Coordinates of all heavy atoms in Angstrom, one line a residue:
Y25 N 127.0 22.9 -57.0 CA 128.3 23.2 -56.5 C 129.1 21.9 -56.4 O 129.0 21.1 -55.5 CB 128.2 23.9 -55.1 CG 127.3 25.1 -55.1 CD1 125.9 24.9 -54.8 CD2 127.7 26.3 -55.3 CE1 125.0 26.0 -54.8 CE2 126.9 27.4 -55.3 CZ 125.5 27.2 -55.0 OH 124.7 28.3 -55.0
D26 N 130.0 21.8 -57.4 CA 130.6 20.5 -57.6 C 132.1 20.5 -57.2 O 132.6 21.6 -57.0 CB 130.5 20.1 -59.1 CG 130.7 18.6 -59.3 OD1 131.0 17.9 -58.3 OD2 130.7 18.1 -60.5
N27 N 132.7 19.4 -57.2 CA 134.1 19.2 -56.8 C 134.4 19.6 -55.4 O 135.3 20.4 -55.1 CB 135.0 20.0 -57.8 CG 136.4 19.5 -57.8 OD1 136.8 18.4 -57.4 ND2 137.4 20.4 -58.2
L28 N 133.6 19.1 -54.5 CA 133.8 19.3 -53.0 C 134.3 18.1 -52.3 O 134.1 17.0 -52.8 CB 132.5 19.8 -52.4 CG 131.8 21.0 -53.1 CD1 130.5 21.3 -52.4 CD2 132.7 22.2 -53.0
R29 N 134.9 18.3 -51.2 CA 135.3 17.2 -50.3 C 134.7 17.5 -48.9 O 135.3 18.1 -48.0 CB 136.9 17.2 -50.2 CG 137.5 16.8 -51.5 CD 139.0 16.6 -51.3 NE 139.7 17.9 -51.0 CZ 140.1 18.7 -52.0 NH1 139.9 18.4 -53.3 NH2 140.7 19.9 -51.7
I30 N 133.5 16.9 -48.8 CA 132.7 17.2 -47.6 C 133.1 16.2 -46.5 O 133.5 15.0 -46.8 CB 131.2 17.0 -47.9 CG1 130.8 18.0 -49.0 CG2 130.3 17.2 -46.7 CD1 129.3 17.8 -49.5
S31 N 133.1 16.7 -45.3 CA 133.6 15.9 -44.2 C 132.8 14.6 -44.0 O 131.6 14.6 -44.2 CB 133.5 16.7 -42.9 OG 133.8 15.9 -41.8
N32 N 133.5 13.5 -43.7 CA 132.8 12.2 -43.5 C 132.8 11.9 -42.0 O 132.7 10.7 -41.6 CB 133.5 11.1 -44.3 CG 135.0 11.0 -43.9 OD1 135.5 11.7 -43.0 ND2 135.8 10.2 -44.7
N33 N 132.9 12.9 -41.1 CA 132.8 12.6 -39.7 C 131.5 12.1 -39.3 O 130.4 12.4 -39.9 CB 133.1 13.9 -39.0 CG 133.3 13.7 -37.5 OD1 132.4 13.5 -36.7 ND2 134.6 13.7 -37.1
A34 N 131.5 11.2 -38.4 CA 130.2 10.5 -38.0 C 129.3 11.3 -37.0 O 128.2 10.8 -36.7 CB 130.6 9.1 -37.4
W35 N 129.7 12.4 -36.6 CA 128.9 13.2 -35.7 C 127.6 13.6 -36.4 O 127.6 14.0 -37.6 CB 129.7 14.5 -35.2 CG 128.9 15.4 -34.3 CD1 128.4 16.6 -34.6 CD2 128.6 15.1 -33.0 NE1 127.8 17.1 -33.6 CE2 127.8 16.2 -32.5 CE3 128.8 14.1 -32.1 CZ2 127.3 16.3 -31.2 CZ3 128.3 14.1 -30.8 CH2 127.6 15.3 -30.4
D36 N 126.5 13.6 -35.6 CA 125.2 13.9 -36.2 C 125.0 15.4 -36.3 O 124.7 16.0 -35.3 CB 124.1 13.2 -35.3 CG 122.7 13.5 -35.8 OD1 122.6 13.7 -37.1 OD2 121.7 13.4 -35.1
T37 N 125.3 15.9 -37.5 CA 125.1 17.3 -37.7 C 124.6 17.5 -39.2 O 124.6 16.6 -40.0 CB 126.5 18.0 -37.5 OG1 126.3 19.4 -37.8 CG2 127.5 17.5 -38.5
N38 N 124.2 18.7 -39.5 CA 123.7 19.0 -40.8 C 124.8 19.2 -41.9 O 124.5 19.3 -43.1 CB 122.8 20.2 -40.8 CG 121.5 20.0 -40.0 OD1 121.2 18.9 -39.6 ND2 120.8 21.0 -39.7
L39 N 126.0 19.3 -41.5 CA 127.2 19.4 -42.4 C 127.3 20.8 -43.1 O 128.4 21.3 -43.3 CB 127.2 18.3 -43.4 CG 127.5 16.9 -42.8 CD1 127.4 15.9 -44.0 CD2 128.9 16.8 -42.2
I40 N 126.2 21.4 -43.5 CA 126.2 22.6 -44.2 C 125.2 23.6 -43.6 O 124.2 23.2 -43.0 CB 125.9 22.4 -45.7 CG1 124.5 21.8 -45.9 CG2 126.9 21.5 -46.4 CD1 124.0 21.6 -47.3
K41 N 125.5 24.9 -43.8 CA 124.6 26.0 -43.4 C 124.6 27.0 -44.6 O 125.6 27.1 -45.3 CB 125.0 26.6 -42.1 CG 124.9 25.7 -40.9 CD 123.4 25.5 -40.5 CE 123.2 24.6 -39.3 NZ 123.7 25.3 -38.1
A42 N 123.5 27.8 -44.7 CA 123.4 28.7 -45.8 C 122.7 30.0 -45.4 O 121.9 30.0 -44.4 CB 122.6 28.1 -46.9
N43 N 123.1 31.1 -46.0 CA 122.4 32.4 -45.9 C 122.3 32.9 -47.3 O 122.8 32.3 -48.3 CB 123.2 33.3 -44.9 CG 124.5 33.7 -45.4 OD1 124.9 33.6 -46.6 ND2 125.3 34.3 -44.5
P44 N 121.7 34.1 -47.5 CA 121.5 34.6 -48.9 C 122.8 34.9 -49.7 O 122.7 35.1 -50.9 CB 120.7 35.9 -48.7 CG 120.0 35.7 -47.4 CD 120.9 34.9 -46.5
Q45 N 124.0 34.8 -49.0 CA 125.2 35.2 -49.7 C 126.2 34.0 -49.8 O 126.9 33.8 -50.8 CB 125.9 36.4 -49.1 CG 125.2 37.7 -49.2 CD 126.0 38.8 -48.7 OE1 127.2 38.7 -48.5 NE2 125.3 40.0 -48.5
Y46 N 126.2 33.2 -48.7 CA 127.3 32.1 -48.7 C 126.7 30.8 -48.2 O 125.6 30.7 -47.6 CB 128.4 32.5 -47.7 CG 129.1 33.8 -48.1 CD1 128.8 35.0 -47.3 CD2 130.0 33.9 -49.1 CE1 129.4 36.2 -47.6 CE2 130.6 35.1 -49.4 CZ 130.3 36.3 -48.7 OH 130.9 37.5 -49.0
I47 N 127.5 29.7 -48.5 CA 127.2 28.4 -48.0 C 128.4 27.9 -47.3 O 129.5 28.0 -47.9 CB 126.8 27.4 -49.1 CG1 125.6 27.9 -49.9 CG2 126.5 26.0 -48.6 CD1 125.3 27.1 -51.1
S48 N 128.3 27.4 -46.1 CA 129.4 26.8 -45.3 C 129.4 25.3 -45.4 O 128.3 24.7 -45.2 CB 129.4 27.3 -43.9 OG 128.3 26.9 -43.2
V49 N 130.5 24.7 -45.5 CA 130.6 23.2 -45.7 C 131.7 22.7 -44.8 O 132.9 23.2 -44.9 CB 130.9 22.8 -47.2 CG1 130.9 21.3 -47.3 CG2 129.9 23.5 -48.1
N50 N 131.4 21.7 -44.0 CA 132.4 21.1 -43.2 C 133.3 20.3 -44.1 O 132.9 19.4 -44.9 CB 131.8 20.1 -42.2 CG 130.9 20.8 -41.1 OD1 130.9 22.1 -41.1 ND2 130.3 20.1 -40.3
W51 N 134.6 20.6 -44.1 CA 135.6 20.1 -45.1 C 136.4 18.9 -44.5 O 136.7 18.9 -43.3 CB 136.5 21.3 -45.5 CG 137.2 21.1 -46.8 CD1 138.5 20.7 -47.0 CD2 136.7 21.3 -48.1 NE1 138.8 20.6 -48.3 CE2 137.7 21.0 -49.0 CE3 135.4 21.7 -48.5 CZ2 137.4 21.1 -50.4 CZ3 135.2 21.8 -49.9 CH2 136.2 21.5 -50.8
Q52 N 136.6 18.0 -45.4 CA 137.5 16.9 -45.1 C 138.9 17.3 -45.3 O 139.5 17.2 -46.4 CB 137.1 15.7 -46.0 CG 137.9 14.4 -45.7 CD 137.6 13.8 -44.3 OE1 136.5 14.0 -43.8 NE2 138.6 13.2 -43.7
A53 N 139.5 17.8 -44.2 CA 140.9 18.4 -44.3 C 141.9 17.5 -43.5 O 141.5 16.9 -42.5 CB 140.9 19.8 -43.9
S54 N 143.1 17.6 -43.9 CA 144.2 16.9 -43.2 C 145.0 17.9 -42.4 O 145.1 19.1 -42.8 CB 145.1 16.1 -44.1 OG 145.6 17.0 -45.1
G55 N 145.6 17.5 -41.3 CA 146.4 18.4 -40.5 C 145.5 19.4 -39.7 O 145.9 20.6 -39.6
G56 N 144.4 19.0 -39.2 CA 143.5 19.9 -38.4 C 142.2 20.0 -39.1 O 141.9 19.4 -40.1
G57 N 141.3 20.8 -38.5 CA 140.0 20.9 -39.0 C 139.8 22.2 -39.8 O 140.5 23.2 -39.6
A58 N 138.9 22.2 -40.7 CA 138.6 23.3 -41.6 C 137.2 23.2 -42.1 O 136.6 22.2 -42.1 CB 139.7 23.5 -42.7
F59 N 136.7 24.4 -42.6 CA 135.5 24.4 -43.4 C 135.6 25.4 -44.5 O 136.5 26.3 -44.5 CB 134.3 24.7 -42.5 CG 134.3 26.1 -41.9 CD1 133.6 27.1 -42.5 CD2 135.0 26.4 -40.7 CE1 133.5 28.4 -42.0 CE2 134.9 27.7 -40.2 CZ 134.2 28.7 -40.9
A60 N 134.8 25.2 -45.5 CA 134.8 26.0 -46.7 C 133.6 26.9 -46.8 O 132.5 26.5 -46.3 CB 134.9 25.2 -48.0
V61 N 133.8 28.1 -47.3 CA 132.7 29.0 -47.6 C 132.6 29.2 -49.1 O 133.6 29.6 -49.7 CB 132.9 30.3 -46.8 CG1 131.9 31.4 -47.2 CG2 132.9 30.1 -45.3
I62 N 131.4 29.0 -49.6 CA 131.2 29.1 -51.1 C 130.2 30.2 -51.3 O 129.1 30.2 -50.8 CB 130.6 27.8 -51.6 CG1 131.5 26.6 -51.2 CG2 130.4 27.8 -53.1 CD1 130.9 25.2 -51.6
P63 N 130.6 31.2 -52.1 CA 129.6 32.3 -52.5 C 128.5 31.6 -53.3 O 128.7 30.7 -54.1 CB 130.4 33.2 -53.4 CG 131.9 33.0 -53.0 CD 132.0 31.5 -52.6
I64 N 127.3 32.0 -52.9 CA 126.1 31.3 -53.5 C 125.9 31.5 -55.0 O 125.2 30.7 -55.6 CB 124.8 31.8 -52.7 CG1 123.7 30.8 -52.8 CG2 124.4 33.2 -53.2 CD1 122.6 31.0 -51.8
N65 N 126.6 32.5 -55.6 CA 126.5 32.7 -57.0 C 127.5 32.0 -57.8 O 127.5 32.0 -59.0 CB 126.5 34.2 -57.3 CG 125.3 35.0 -56.7 OD1 124.2 34.4 -56.7 ND2 125.5 36.2 -56.3
E66 N 128.5 31.4 -57.2 CA 129.6 30.7 -57.9 C 129.3 29.2 -58.0 O 129.6 28.4 -57.1 CB 131.0 31.0 -57.2 CG 131.4 32.4 -57.2 CD 132.7 32.6 -56.6 OE1 133.4 31.6 -56.2 OE2 133.2 33.8 -56.4
K67 N 128.6 28.9 -59.1 CA 128.1 27.5 -59.2 C 129.0 26.8 -60.3 O 129.8 27.4 -60.9 CB 126.7 27.5 -59.7 CG 125.7 28.2 -58.7 CD 124.3 28.2 -59.2 CE 123.4 28.9 -58.2 NZ 122.0 29.0 -58.7
G68 N 128.7 25.5 -60.4 CA 129.5 24.7 -61.4 C 130.6 24.0 -60.7 O 130.6 23.7 -59.5
R69 N 131.6 23.6 -61.5 CA 132.7 22.8 -61.0 C 133.7 23.8 -60.4 O 134.2 24.7 -61.0 CB 133.4 22.0 -62.0 CG 134.5 21.1 -61.5 CD 135.0 20.2 -62.6 NE 136.1 19.3 -62.1 CZ 135.9 18.2 -61.4 NH1 134.7 17.8 -61.2 NH2 136.9 17.5 -61.0
L70 N 134.0 23.7 -59.1 CA 134.8 24.6 -58.3 C 136.3 24.2 -58.5 O 136.6 23.1 -58.9 CB 134.4 24.6 -56.9 CG 133.0 25.0 -56.6 CD1 132.7 25.0 -55.1 CD2 132.6 26.3 -57.2
P71 N 137.2 25.1 -58.2 CA 138.6 24.8 -58.4 C 139.1 23.7 -57.4 O 138.4 23.3 -56.4 CB 139.3 26.1 -58.0 CG 138.3 27.2 -58.2 CD 137.0 26.5 -57.9
E72 N 140.2 23.1 -57.8 CA 140.7 21.9 -57.0 C 141.2 22.4 -55.6 O 141.0 21.7 -54.6 CB 141.9 21.3 -57.7 CG 141.5 20.6 -59.0 CD 140.6 19.3 -58.7 OE1 140.7 18.8 -57.6 OE2 139.8 19.0 -59.6
Q73 N 141.7 23.6 -55.6 CA 142.2 24.2 -54.3 C 141.3 25.4 -54.0 O 141.2 26.3 -54.8 CB 143.7 24.5 -54.3 CG 144.6 23.3 -54.5 CD 146.0 23.7 -54.5 OE1 146.4 24.9 -54.6 NE2 146.9 22.7 -54.3
L74 N 140.7 25.4 -52.8 CA 139.9 26.4 -52.3 C 140.5 27.1 -51.1 O 141.2 26.5 -50.3 CB 138.5 25.9 -52.0 CG 137.7 25.2 -53.0 CD1 136.4 24.7 -52.5 CD2 137.5 26.0 -54.3
P75 N 140.2 28.4 -50.9 CA 140.6 29.1 -49.7 C 139.7 28.6 -48.5 O 138.5 28.7 -48.6 CB 140.3 30.5 -50.0 CG 139.3 30.6 -51.1 CD 139.6 29.3 -51.9
L76 N 140.3 27.9 -47.6 CA 139.6 27.3 -46.4 C 139.7 28.2 -45.2 O 140.6 29.0 -45.1 CB 140.1 25.9 -46.1 CG 140.1 24.9 -47.3 CD1 140.7 23.6 -46.9 CD2 138.6 24.7 -47.7
F77 N 138.8 28.0 -44.3 CA 138.8 28.7 -43.0 C 139.4 27.7 -42.0 O 138.8 26.8 -41.5 CB 137.3 29.0 -42.6 CG 136.8 30.2 -43.4 CD1 136.6 30.1 -44.8 CD2 136.4 31.4 -42.8 CE1 136.0 31.1 -45.5 CE2 135.9 32.4 -43.5 CZ 135.7 32.3 -44.9
R78 N 140.7 27.9 -41.8 CA 141.5 27.0 -40.9 C 141.8 27.7 -39.6 O 141.9 28.9 -39.5 CB 142.8 26.7 -41.6 CG 142.6 25.8 -42.9 CD 144.0 25.4 -43.5 NE 143.9 24.6 -44.7 CZ 143.8 23.3 -44.7 NH1 143.9 22.6 -43.5 NH2 143.8 22.6 -45.8
G79 N 141.9 26.8 -38.6 CA 142.3 27.3 -37.3 C 142.1 26.2 -36.2 O 142.8 26.2 -35.2
H80 N 141.1 25.3 -36.4 CA 140.8 24.3 -35.5 C 141.9 23.2 -35.6 O 142.4 22.9 -36.7 CB 139.4 23.7 -35.7 CG 138.3 24.6 -35.3 ND1 138.0 24.8 -34.0 CD2 137.5 25.3 -36.1 CE1 136.9 25.6 -34.0 NE2 136.6 26.0 -35.2
T81 N 142.2 22.5 -34.5 CA 143.1 21.4 -34.5 C 142.4 20.0 -34.6 O 143.1 19.0 -34.6 CB 144.0 21.5 -33.2 OG1 143.1 21.4 -32.1 CG2 144.8 22.7 -33.2
A82 N 141.1 20.0 -34.8 CA 140.4 18.8 -34.9 C 139.2 19.1 -35.9 O 139.0 20.2 -36.3 CB 139.8 18.3 -33.6
P83 N 138.6 18.0 -36.4 CA 137.5 18.2 -37.4 C 136.4 19.2 -36.9 O 136.0 19.2 -35.8 CB 137.0 16.8 -37.6 CG 138.1 15.9 -37.3 CD 138.8 16.6 -36.2
V84 N 136.0 20.0 -37.8 CA 134.9 20.9 -37.6 C 133.6 20.1 -37.6 O 133.3 19.4 -38.5 CB 134.8 22.1 -38.6 CG1 133.6 22.9 -38.4 CG2 136.1 22.9 -38.5

Side-chain angles (χ1 to χ4, degrees):
Y25 306 91
D26 199 2
N27 195 24
L28 303 178
R29 292 187 291 274
I30 302 175
S31 175
N32 56 8
N33 192 280
W35 178 252
D36 182 21
T37 181
N38 292 350
L39 292 176
I40 59 176
K41 291 291 181 67
N43 67 14
Q45 293 187 15
Y46 303 103
I47 302 174
S48 64
V49 184
N50 295 356
W51 201 258
Q52 183 65 29
S54 58
F59 66 95
V61 172
I62 304 172
I64 203 166
N65 294 325
E66 296 184 5
K67 301 178 181 179
R69 185 174 180 83
L70 302 180
E72 293 293 334
Q73 293 183 347
L74 301 180
L76 300 178
F77 287 63
R78 292 183 180 271
H80 290 285
T81 58
V84 175

